[in-house]
Amino acid sequence: MKTRTKVVVIGGGIAGCSTLYHLTQEGWSDVMLLERDELTSGTTWHSAAQVTNFGMTQTMVGLKSHSIKLYQELANDPEYPINYHHGDGGIRLANTEAQLDGYRHFASMARGMGVEFEVIDAAECARRHPLIATDGLLGGLWDPMDGDIDPAQLCQALARRARKAGAEVHRHTPVTALRQLKDDTWEVETPKGTIHADIVVNAGGYRVNEVGAMMGVHHPVASMEHQYFLTEEIPAIKDLDHRVPLLRCPISDYYSRQEKNGLLVGFYEQDCKTWGMDGIDPKFVNALCPDDLDRVTDVLEGAFERMPALMEVGIHTVVNGPITYTIDGAPLVGPIPGKRNAYCIIGLRAGLGEGGGHGWLLAQQIVHGEACYDTWVIDPRRFTTHGNVELTALKAIEDYQNEFRFHFPHEHRPAGRPIKTTPLTPVLAAGGAEFGVVNGWERVEYIKPTPEFEETLGFRFNETHDVIAAEVAAVQTGVGLTEVNGFNRFEITGADAHDFLDRMFCGHVTRKKGRVGLGYLLNEQGMLKSEATVANLPAGNASSARIWYGSAAASEFHDMDWLAAHIGDKEDVTIRSLTNDWTILVLAGPKARDVLAAVARGDWSAEAFPWLSVREAFVGIAPAMVMAVSFSGELAYEIHVPNAQLYAAYLALRQAGDTHGLRLFGSRAVDSMRLEKGFLHWKSEILTEFDPFETGLGRFVKMEKRAFIGKAALEARLAAGPSKRLVTLAVDCTDRWAQPGASVMLGDAVVGTVTSGDWGHRTGLNLAMAFVDPEQSTVSTQVEIDMLGTRYPAEVIPAGPYDPDFGRVRA
């Protein structure tokens, strides 16, 4: 075994084998895989191994499509063919119209990735799957590419190809220690010797946190016991001239697929069970948990009702093995937070079906720095300090219990809440606040009009429509107050701080004391990495001025890693996170200045404190940092307050606001207003798949700058011309809004994809943002958007239709 290599992949299941293979496909052959026992001896070997194209985001559909294409290629390899039942078809059942709406949306979204799903009625479900009954069934989603694969053969085929390309695979080689050296390379210790590696990859399956502990990190991954059984032969299947489709049933929490002339039937019971919480026996290899069919009795009864043939056949084999989950059910594939040259591909609860695509995207990130898709949906940094063991277990249970039930828009499930709060959370709750979750933080979405108010979740406008309209009207005509917690806030100091930021941002970075600027960071490919405000704080009592870097709440770990990685060895730059110590109170509306002036000494006139200013002040008795910035398009102030004084500042503003009719509002009102202003959301419109010019942010780019990260790549992209352009669309529809991912159509062709949509209560427009082909990006262009299976006319309009001259924010 060699002692020096570029990459060590730890774990020989589908995650590790796929990563190793795809690293060789990206041109790196000096790579190794270390497996503590035999390949596939963890979760992979007992996987039900279903391979579907279904995903709830375009990234997930894209990586699954790659898996299917790769698996077909492997199955057809004459030198080493593998068993892959491809194209049996699969149905996801539905017994409510809201579920069918979701399937209609997912079909629209998948079409933009070249994948065709079909929404079918109950009778067609039964025609395509002759074993099911249609009682209480409305229909389902048909995936023609659904199938299953042999897990051991798949991994062996990937490892074989990797070896042929120069990679090494070492079985029975456990990793016993990991040490990071001063140059950020790694020593990987094994009983067979120590390997010096540039990069390490944790693909440890259910032993993920045993590997993580060697690095000094904890990953939010927990294991659940999962049971399925294989039936005896079923005559109705034996007599068919084709394989029965796969079935996934959110009604009764089970799935099935054909196995020889019987069925494999798996369950997601409500009385489910975590596994390995107190450690895993080192000898647990190619092993299973004890059978426990009593635990699945409730879902088994539902399966009997849906598929009566199950009541007439015996059980041949029971399998009960651990599978891994994360806090939101999606895997963790990408850089390990807070570590250099360390990656993970873990939490793959549907590993066999998706693993080909996950390894593909991870290999691209390792070799090139980014993947062809924006991978935030699977990025390990999307969970921050709240991702502890207990929360992960609670969310794993919840996700397991809802395996086939997708999240509706604005749905925030209750397990593990609240995990992040401020002193105002109980105060706002007592005032009727309905909360959503942003990076673990409980954030106000809207204020309920009555204590009994309940929202009907779905893909169409509902009871909250008029509630949001009233909140927007209050902000537009008077004054509103809301809390924005979790906003990412770094304090950057040092003699080289401004020069450092100038290199990080593609545009001008203001150096004026007391001023705030907005800017964008690019990656090495010239694509958008992050959006941030830079505030040059007054010196105050500090020995030198400070810079506050502010960005989206979800970007806390992401942005810290990016900034810290680019500080030069000789640069005097220090970054300190204040994210969890301060909270923002947003005061917005034409009367906002009057309220602020009533509680804070000083001249707050437009002349003394214009738009994009920052000032230290006291709000009542609470110290604060006040910024004249607006995400609503109205006169507004961000009042940044230490959490210890947050309640005091809130009371002062509420008392002063009573005179002016101050009203609380929430994030849904903000989202409506920001669309009317043409303001963008990170990871909605600000994606690594597009550059700033394609995203309509050219005014924030200064190509004349001597240097900034991504400049050379951006110059090349400018010369080549845009692939897409971000536009604002006015949609001719009054009962639903455009969901992210919905396809923009011109005739039968998909010409774009929606990134955000909402009703604009001040403009009376149903608005959407979308990336479209450049030919369809000019104002007045007519297209259609597939919204829940119906195409609605949409017109390209100028971005920011509300107050386009920004007169209201400057008032």
Side-chain angles (χ1 to χ4, degrees):
M1 186 172 70
K2 61 185 178 184
T3 59
R4 185 71 175 92
T5 190
K6 199 164 188 66
V7 182
V8 166
V9 179
I10 305 168
I14 180 59
C17 291
S18 178
T19 302
L20 189 76
Y21 165 74
H22 283 100
L23 284 170
T24 66
Q25 292 297 292
E26 296 298 325
W28 285 12
S29 59
D30 183 15
V31 293
M32 299 173 65
L33 184 149
L34 306 180
E35 163 54 43
R36 69 190 302 274
D37 198 84
E38 292 285 352
L39 297 185
T40 76
S41 59
T43 294
T44 300
W45 76 274
H46 62 72
S47 169
Q50 296 164 157
V51 184
T52 175
N53 236 339
F54 177 79
M56 291 189 290
T57 66
Q58 287 196 324
T59 296
M60 295 303 292
V61 171
L63 67 86
K64 291 184 178 187
S65 293
H66 174 83
S67 295
I68 289 172
K69 182 179 178 182
L70 171 62
Y71 298 171
Q72 285 180 281
E73 179 186 333
L74 294 173
N76 295 327
D77 185 345
E79 294 184 12
Y80 192 84
I82 65 174
N83 293 323
Y84 178 27
H85 298 122
H86 168 255
D88 291 345
I91 308 172
R92 291 175 185 269
L93 302 179
N95 64 342
T96 69
E97 281 295 337
Q99 286 174 316
L100 285 177
D101 271 351
Y103 292 159
R104 294 178 184 113
H105 166 62
F106 298 136
S108 173
M109 179 266 297
R111 189 176 299 118
M113 300 300 288
V115 172
E116 292 294 330
F117 291 146
E118 184 182 359
V119 179
I120 57 179
D121 62 19
E124 185 62 17
C125 289
R127 190 189 72 78
R128 298 187 187 189
H129 198 307
L131 297 185
I132 67 170
T134 58
D135 297 346
L137 189 65
L138 291 184
L141 181 70
W142 172 258
D143 174 5
M145 305 293 277
D146 220 338
D148 67 272
I149 197 165
D150 184 299
Q153 289 182 357
L154 170 60
C155 291
Q156 293 289 355
L158 291 169
R160 173 180 175 273
R161 287 195 171 194
R163 287 191 194 97
K164 289 181 69 175
E168 291 188 10
V169 176
H170 295 275
R171 300 169 300 141
H172 303 284
T173 310
V175 173
T176 56
L178 291 166
R179 290 181 294 273
Q180 191 158 31
L181 306 179
K182 289 183 179 180
D183 63 355
D184 292 326
T185 60
W186 292 85
E187 284 186 344
V188 183
E189 188 175 294
T190 79
K192 298 179 181 179
T194 298
I195 305 158
H196 184 197
D198 293 336
I199 295 166
V200 293
V201 177
N202 184 348
Y206 53 65
R207 296 189 185 274
V208 50
N209 277 309
E210 294 178 11
V211 178
M214 299 180 202
M215 296 186 185
V217 300
H218 169 75
H219 297 286
V221 175
S223 294
M224 302 293 299
E225 288 190 17
H226 176 60
Q227 294 187 96
Y228 64 80
F229 62 65
L230 305 176
T231 73
E232 303 284 2
E233 184 175 277
I234 298 175
I237 292 179
K238 183 179 179 181
D239 294 342
L240 289 174
D241 59 359
H242 60 84
R243 291 175 61 84
V244 296
L246 288 82
L247 199 70
R248 296 172 181 85
C249 182
I251 309 164
S252 300
D253 298 303
Y254 82 99
Y255 62 90
S256 72
R257 67 166 175 83
Q258 185 169 335
E259 179 70 16
K260 297 182 179 179
N261 285 327
L263 288 174
L264 182 155
V265 185
F267 304 95
Y268 291 96
E269 70 280 6
Q270 299 305 293
D271 183 24
C272 54
K273 185 178 180 181
T274 57
W275 179 85
M277 292 288 289
D278 297 318
I280 302 169
D281 187 338
K283 297 179 182 178
F284 191 87
V285 175
N286 280 318
L288 294 172
C289 309
D291 300 348
D292 190 5
L293 287 183
D294 288 343
R295 206 170 68 226
V296 302
T297 301
D298 56 339
V299 291
L300 184 58
E301 290 175 355
F304 285 162
E305 293 175 3
R306 184 62 59 201
M307 198 175 288
L310 289 175
M311 292 186 286
E312 302 170 4
V313 64
I315 296 174
H316 180 275
T317 305
V318 178
V319 174
N320 183 19
I323 57 176
T324 55
Y325 278 78
T326 67
I327 289 174
D328 62 1
L332 305 177
V333 180
I336 295 175
K339 294 292 178 182
R340 304 273 182 89
N341 297 329
Y343 296 81
C344 60
I345 177 168
I346 53 180
L348 276 62
R349 80 177 194 276
L352 266 294
E354 305 173 349
H358 290 311
W360 174 55
L361 294 181
L362 180 59
Q364 292 178 52
Q365 293 179 68
I366 293 171
V367 175
H368 307 296
E370 295 284 0
C372 57
Y373 305 139
D374 189 296
T375 56
W376 182 246
V377 68
I378 55 174
D379 195 301
R381 296 165 296 190
R382 69 187 188 274
F383 305 118
T384 55
T385 52
H386 63 291
N388 60 46
V389 175
E390 301 304 322
L391 174 69
T392 304
L394 289 173
K395 298 303 287 187
I397 291 169
E398 182 181 62
D399 203 64
Y400 185 96
Q401 292 170 331
N402 291 277
E403 176 69 28
F404 298 131
R405 299 184 189 95
F406 52 79
H407 279 76
F408 287 106
H410 304 304
E411 181 181 7
H412 301 277
R413 291 175 179 166
R417 295 177 62 187
I419 186 68
K420 288 184 181 178
T421 61
T422 74
L424 290 186
T425 305
V427 178
L428 295 169
E434 181 69 23
F435 295 92
V437 180
V438 180
N439 191 23
W441 291 95
E442 296 288 328
R443 185 176 292 180
V444 178
E445 289 204 327
Y446 60 89
I447 307 299
K448 294 184 287 188
T450 65
E452 298 78 22
F453 182 87
E454 290 188 10
E455 178 180 9
T456 304
L457 294 172
F459 291 82
R460 302 167 191 255
F461 294 131
N462 59 21
E463 305 90 344
T464 64
H465 191 69
D466 291 341
V467 175
I468 307 304
E471 291 183 6
V472 170
V475 173
Q476 182 185 20
T477 62
V479 61
L481 180 68
T482 193
E483 177 192 58
V484 180
N485 49 21
F487 183 77
N488 188 41
R489 182 186 294 97
F490 300 149
E491 184 173 86
I492 304 177
T493 56
D496 299 318
H498 274 113
D499 290 340
F500 166 70
L501 289 173
D502 191 62
R503 189 176 76 252
M504 299 300 296
F505 282 78
C506 64
H508 173 68
V509 179
T510 182
R511 296 180 182 233
K512 293 181 180 179
K513 297 265 182 73
R515 295 296 290 170
V516 181
L518 177 67
Y520 295 86
L521 298 83
L522 310 184
N523 58 25
E524 299 291 352
Q525 290 75 32
M527 307 298 214
L528 286 165
K529 188 74 173 177
S530 286
E531 174 190 66
T533 56
V534 173
N536 291 313
L537 308 186
N541 295 324
S543 59
S544 63
R546 297 155 290 160
I547 302 168
W548 272 12
Y549 171 107
S551 57
S555 70
E556 180 184 353
F557 280 5
H558 174 279
D559 283 14
M560 179 61 84
D561 279 357
W562 183 252
L563 292 172
H566 287 87
I567 299 175
D569 291 339
K570 297 182 180 180
E571 281 188 306
D572 178 14
V573 176
T574 301
I575 304 176
R576 181 169 68 104
S577 178
L578 304 176
T579 299
N580 299 304
D581 302 325
W582 292 64
T583 294
I584 301 172
L585 295 174
V586 172
L587 192 65
K591 298 180 181 179
R593 181 179 288 115
D594 297 332
V595 175
L596 181 60
V599 296
R601 288 182 290 109
D603 185 352
W604 297 100
S605 66
E607 294 74 25
F609 193 68
W611 184 41
L612 299 181
S613 296
V614 57
R615 176 191 297 177
E616 283 187 292
F618 283 90
V619 174
I621 59 173
M625 196 69 68
V626 182
M627 299 183 192
V629 295
S630 174
F631 203 48
S632 63
E634 305 293 344
L635 174 67
Y637 302 98
E638 284 186 0
I639 303 169
H640 299 244
V641 185
N643 283 341
Q645 285 82 38
L646 184 63
Y647 184 47
Y650 173 80
L651 288 177
L653 291 168
R654 286 303 304 266
Q655 184 175 1
D658 286 345
T659 305
H660 302 282
L662 181 145
R663 177 167 178 167
L664 297 177
F665 67 102
S667 61
R668 292 208 208 167
V670 174
D671 208 45
S672 167
M673 292 186 282
R674 70 99 181 169
L675 277 171
E676 292 180 305
K677 287 300 299 174
F679 295 154
L680 314 184
H681 257 325
W682 188 67
K683 295 309 177 187
S684 292
E685 291 77 35
I686 300 169
L687 303 167
T688 59
E689 295 178 31
F690 304 103
D691 66 45
F693 292 97
E694 292 171 321
T695 313
L697 298 171
R699 65 192 182 280
F700 292 97
V701 183
K702 303 298 180 187
M703 296 302 294
E704 65 272 19
K705 286 178 63 172
R706 183 177 61 84
F708 57 82
I709 293 174
K711 180 179 179 180
L714 185 58
E715 288 174 335
R717 290 187 61 81
L718 281 172
S723 61
K724 297 283 185 182
R725 287 195 185 278
L726 184 67
V727 299
T728 299
L729 297 161
V731 190
D732 187 9
C733 177
T734 58
D735 74 333
R736 68 198 70 176
W737 72 103
Q739 297 294 323
S743 287
V744 181
M745 311 289 295
L746 188 64
D748 291 332
V750 177
V751 297
T753 299
V754 170
T755 57
S756 298
D758 210 337
W759 186 265
H761 292 281
R762 296 173 298 189
T763 58
L765 297 174
N766 193 344
L767 296 170
M769 288 184 178
F771 280 101
V772 301
D773 293 343
E775 297 78 13
Q776 275 71 53
S777 64
T778 56
V779 171
S780 300
T781 298
Q782 305 291 319
V783 291
E784 293 179 320
I785 302 179
D786 180 353
M787 296 162 58
L788 310 185
T790 301
R791 296 186 184 183
Y792 289 91
E795 179 180 346
V796 178
I797 64 173
Y802 180 73
D803 188 29
D805 297 327
F806 284 74
R808 296 179 72 88
V809 299
R810 292 188 173 98

